[in-house]
């Protein structure tokens, strides 16, 4: 599939554009525009220094980076954050330090999250008094079991 063209504005000329670490990657890494210090359990809304204009029918999703999650417990509170095609403001990341003990320190320019660009469908919602049956029915939230914890 050919890549989709996305207009991007650098709000901070010194910071890099999003970049794919490898050709086959789904996520393009984005950086923090500021130094950030997060105490255990603390969250922060962090600027990335970029704004984009996605074509209609696309959205960008802000995902955590697994390395930061595994090493420091750093995640994105609203993962994946949704950047609408019509949004022209700075892309921001809502970081959360989930670690119980250690403070997370990030420097301006550090890669903190990744943007996944996807096509999205628009739905037309048709109200119905009854829904068609299905094999799952209303079962959810653990209805198939498989838990070993107590
Ligand atoms: O992780 C995120 C999530 C959202 N946004 C921006 C782009 C998005 O288009 C806009 C609104 O996001 P969302 O709809 O998730 O937030 P909301 O709380 O519903 O705000 P609004 O009332 O502005 O829609 O905020 C980000 O920069 N980063
Ligand atoms: Mg919204």
């Amino acid at each position: 599939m050919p890549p989709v063209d996305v207009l991007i504005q650098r709000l901070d000329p010194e910071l890099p554009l999003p970049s794919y670490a490898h050709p086959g990657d789904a996520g393009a890494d984005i950086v923090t525009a500021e130094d950030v210090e997060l105490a255990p359990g603390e969250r922060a809304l962090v600027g990335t220094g970029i704004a984009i204009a996605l074509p209609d029918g696309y959205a960008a999703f802000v995902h955590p980076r697994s390395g930061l999650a595994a090493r420091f417990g750093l995640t994105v509170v609203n993962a994946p954050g949704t950047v609408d095609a019509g949004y022209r403001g700075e892309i921001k990341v809502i970081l959360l330090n989930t670690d119980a003990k250690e403070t997370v320190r990030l420097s301006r320019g550090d890669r903190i999250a990744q943007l996944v660009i996807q096509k999205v469908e628009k739905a037309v919602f048709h109200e119905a008094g009854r829904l068609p049956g299905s094999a799952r029915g209303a079962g959810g939230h653990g209805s198939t079991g498989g838990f070993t914890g107590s």
Side-chain angles (χ1 to χ4, degrees):
M1 265 208 308
V4 58
D5 293 311
V6 175
L7 289 176
I8 187 159
Q9 184 181 20
R10 234 191 270 243
L11 305 173
D12 183 331
E14 288 168 5
L15 291 175
L17 296 177
S19 66
Y20 295 97
H22 301 103
D25 286 1
D29 292 329
I30 52 176
V31 305
T32 171
E34 57 205 89
D35 295 340
V36 189
E37 197 169 294
L38 293 170
E42 195 181 358
R43 69 173 181 273
L45 183 64
V46 175
T48 63
I50 52 162
I52 59 176
L54 291 161
D56 270 351
Y58 285 82
F61 297 97
V62 181
H63 288 259
R65 294 186 66 209
S66 61
L68 295 174
R71 274 158 59 206
F72 307 116
L74 187 71
T75 192
V76 173
V77 179
N78 56 330
T82 305
V83 179
D84 301 289
Y87 180 68
R88 298 289 180 271
E90 182 180 18
I91 294 178
K92 296 191 175 177
V93 181
I94 311 167
L95 290 175
L96 169 67
N97 177 5
T98 67
D99 197 86
K101 294 183 194 147
E102 300 292 333
T103 293
V104 175
R105 290 182 184 82
L106 300 160
S107 302
R108 174 179 150 79
D110 284 348
R111 294 173 295 149
I112 51 167
Q114 52 187 328
L115 267 191
V116 177
I117 312 289
Q118 288 184 281
K119 275 189 181 163
V120 288
E121 304 286 342
K122 255 301 177 22
V124 178
F125 294 98
H126 301 276
E127 189 172 355
R130 287 179 61 139
L131 298 175
S134 73
R136 174 175 281 273
H141 316 289
S143 66
T144 62
F147 301 106
T148 50
S150 53

